[in-house]
Amino acid sequence: ADEAAAWAARPKGLDGRVADVWVYRDERGTEAFRVVRFESDKGKTYRPFHVAPDEGGWKAGDPKGAGPFPLYRLDRLAANRSATVYVTEGEKCADLVARLGAEATTSAHGASAASRTDWRPLAGRAVVVLPDAGAAGDVYRRDVLARLAALTPRPTVRVVALPGLNDGEDVEQWLDALPDCCDALAAL
């Protein structure tokens, strides 16, 4: 159903198959929008989609009047307010960390758009930022830290530069290289 909806609403000229779908929800679990990753021989493309009942169903793009956007997996974070929250760069990485049993999130619309997300649900929480390796990861880390520093009460924040990563690599490559990734993440 997700793939059919994305295909039906996709903008003209967007080729490829639906590779992933990530649903952003509010604290109550109501869907706000979703991000769909399309893959083709030209590479990967990400597009937001939302339901617009007054416009005939699924539409490509952000909902009208959208923003700030909810954190990814916000409904799960809200249900477990005492857990440490891991902030990754991207939904795929957040899902990988969550599969280890940790609470994980990311901002909407990629590494250069942290300012478009509502970070207030992390106020007063324990937060671990897991930036990607390299310059882009540094920019995202600084942006996220600035957003977290502005919260009241301030969260307790740690930044963990994952060891052994090459430029552009992220938590996915780090986890792939570890025999016991759960213990390694907890140790960091």
Side-chain angles (χ1 to χ4, degrees), residues 3-18:
E3 184 168 349
W7 273 115
R10 73 170 190 232
K12 290 182 180 174
L14 184 60
D15 297 323
R17 68 173 185 82
V18 174

Side-chain angles (χ1 to χ4, degrees), residues 125-148:
R125 305 240 351 215
V127 177
V128 176
V129 180
L130 300 172
D132 289 4
D138 289 341
V139 170
Y140 184 68
R141 174 188 48 81
R142 284 193 300 273
D143 198 8
V144 168
L145 290 176
R147 308 272 166 240
L148 296 174

Side-chain angles (χ1 to χ4, degrees), residues 77-186:
L77 302 179
N80 194 1
R81 294 188 187 275
S82 63
T84 297
V85 178
Y86 291 82
V87 176
T88 67
E89 192 175 319
E91 297 92 353
K92 183 177 182 180
C93 290
D95 285 346
L96 289 170
V97 172
R99 280 189 213 122
L100 299 176
E103 293 299 336
T105 192
T106 192
S107 56
H109 291 303
S112 61
S115 64
R116 298 178 64 192
T117 295
D118 181 2
W119 294 88
R120 290 178 299 172
L122 299 185
R125 305 240 351 215
V127 177
V128 176
V129 180
L130 300 172
D132 289 4
D138 289 341
V139 170
Y140 184 68
R141 174 188 48 81
R142 284 193 300 273
D143 198 8
V144 168
L145 290 176
R147 308 272 166 240
L148 296 174
L151 298 176
T152 303
R154 280 191 177 180
T156 303
V157 180
R158 289 177 289 168
V159 177
V160 176
L162 298 171
L165 293 181
N166 296 314
D167 189 45
E169 292 184 330
D170 57 33
V171 70
E172 179 180 19
Q173 288 79 30
W174 187 75
L175 291 171
D176 284 347
L178 295 175
D180 192 350
C181 53
C182 293
D183 289 341
L185 186 59

